[in-house]
Structure formats: structure tokens, C-alpha cells
Amino acid sequence: MRREIDHESYEDRYEYQGGTLIEHVRLREGRVLWREWLEFESVEEAEEAFHLELA
């Protein structure tokens, strides 16, 4: 699953494909500024964060 959040100067993308990791990528004008992985203790915690906090 992918979720995108737009801002005036950048775009954040969150990608979750199951498991305990969510990938967070920040882009500006289509170029990757940085990439990080958000790690959670359990699959349930990762799913909850993706659906509730990143919505």
C-alpha cells in the first residue's frame, strides 16, 4: 500500500507491504531527498500506524 502526502515544497510517500517496516521517502520535484525505514515491534503495530497515524 502507498500513501502520499503533499506539501508546498516536498512530497512524502509511505509504502507498507506487510511486516514490521514502513518505507518513508521524501521527494522534491521528483527527486529523492532522503529515505528512511520506520520499524515497529509487530505487524499489528505497523498496520495501525500506517492506517491511523499516516492517514
Side-chain angles (χ1 to χ4, degrees):
M1 289 181 272
R2 177 180 288 177
R3 179 156 292 135
E4 297 179 11
I5 300 173
D6 291 327
H7 184 270
E8 290 179 13
S9 60
Y10 60 85
E11 174 184 353
D12 282 341
R13 289 187 183 170
Y14 296 90
E15 180 114 12
Y16 178 64
Q17 297 184 6
T20 59
L21 296 174
I22 296 174
E23 181 182 21
H24 176 201
V25 179
R26 179 161 287 173
L27 301 121
R28 181 181 296 150
E29 298 175 1
R31 302 174 87 179
V32 174
L33 296 176
W34 52 264
R35 176 184 320 259
E36 71 177 337
W37 293 93
L38 308 173
E39 186 172 5
F40 297 88
E41 296 289 323
S42 68
V43 172
E44 293 80 15
E45 186 180 10
E47 287 176 351
E48 183 177 332
F50 185 78
H51 291 291
L52 297 178
E53 296 176 25
L54 303 175

